[in-house]
Amino acid sequence: MNIYGGEVNRLIEELSRLPGVGQRSAQRLAFHIIGMPDDRAFALSDAIVNAKKNIKYCKECCTITDQELCPVCSAPGRDHKIIMVVESSRDMAAYERIGKYEGVYHVLHGVINPSQGIGPQEIKLKELMVRLREDVDELIIATNSSVEGEATAMYISKIAKPAGIKVSRIASGVPVGGDLEVTDEMTLLRALEGRVSM
């Protein structure tokens, strides 16, 4: 039943496509946006449009950024000989919240998952291999503890070890099946400090 009209329904429908937003939440958000002052609503829409236009991958670590190099890769004092491999930019942000890791990252944007048709070519592994040709001392694999995360970790380990690079895996402490982005900072720190060689 159409009780709001096409534009309101379209807004609700688009908002409901966001992850974690159901129909009722989308309706609440739509009414909130409609009730916003014009300048705030247009600022929100401009932020979305500008993000889509200007966000790209960091040319070194593949995280999302609006610059050639992300702030982590371009920060003075970061140790570029230690690379932590994570599944997503959210996982990178989780480790950055700890404030203890001084190396750099590589963001895969996924994991190997044959059942969904995601192979090594569909994630940022080729870019990682290019980086491993440089002067790298250690590769810390910090993929999630899911079956796919573990399989991806093993794959990366097998292709990195012949280069003579020390490969380690974050320690348990991150719960099996847990996502890094929602894990507390202390657990992440313990996992990082307790990493083991692969």
Side-chain angles (χ1 to χ4, degrees):
M1 183 167 90
N2 183 359
I3 59 174
Y4 303 121
E7 291 303 320
V8 175
N9 287 335
R10 180 172 169 237
L11 179 58
I12 292 169
E13 182 182 328
E14 292 302 324
L15 290 169
S16 70
R17 294 179 187 193
L18 296 171
V21 178
Q23 193 67 26
R24 290 179 63 174
S25 294
Q27 187 176 15
R28 265 194 310 276
L29 287 169
F31 289 148
H32 178 78
I33 291 168
I34 292 165
M36 292 169 105
D38 286 353
D39 60 331
R40 285 192 50 223
F42 293 136
L44 174 62
S45 69
D46 285 347
I48 293 169
V49 169
N50 288 333
K52 285 302 292 176
K53 280 185 189 173
N54 300 316
I55 300 284
K56 55 190 169 213
Y57 293 129
C58 171
K59 74 175 188 175
E60 192 162 322
C61 75
C62 298
T63 194
I64 54 173
T65 184
D66 59 355
Q67 302 160 20
E68 199 71 17
L69 284 177
C70 73
V72 172
C73 288
S74 61
R78 295 305 283 240
D79 187 350
H80 288 258
K81 293 184 177 187
I82 302 174
I83 301 173
M84 182 187 293
V85 179
V86 294
E87 291 181 23
S88 71
S89 295
R90 292 184 308 270
D91 296 339
M92 177 180 160
Y95 268 101
E96 279 301 289
R97 281 195 309 268
I98 297 171
K100 301 285 184 189
Y101 177 66
E102 296 176 359
V104 292
Y105 298 89
H106 187 83
V107 181
L108 294 173
H109 294 281
V111 287
I112 297 169
N113 188 343
S115 68
Q116 293 186 357
I118 302 170
Q121 316 75 255
E122 280 72 47
I123 58 177
K124 300 289 184 186
L125 279 175
K126 181 178 65 175
E127 293 83 351
L128 177 61
M129 296 305 102
V130 169
R131 292 180 74 186
L132 295 182
R133 292 186 203 131
E134 298 165 7
D135 189 14
V136 176
D137 291 338
E138 182 179 7
L139 190 65
I140 303 168
I141 303 176
T143 53
N144 288 315
S145 299
S146 63
V147 172
E148 297 81 11
E150 292 295 336
T152 303
M154 290 304 297
Y155 183 90
I156 293 169
S157 176
K158 283 180 184 174
I159 57 178
K161 276 190 173 177
I165 297 167
K166 176 184 175 187
V167 179
S168 58
R169 179 87 168 108
I170 57 172
S172 59
V174 176
V176 174
D179 287 327
L180 293 178
E181 68 179 282
V182 295
T183 303
D184 66 276
E185 287 84 359
M186 202 57 186
T187 301
L188 288 172
L189 180 58
R190 284 186 185 143
L192 175 62
E193 289 176 344
R195 65 187 182 271
V196 293
S197 292
M198 291 182 73

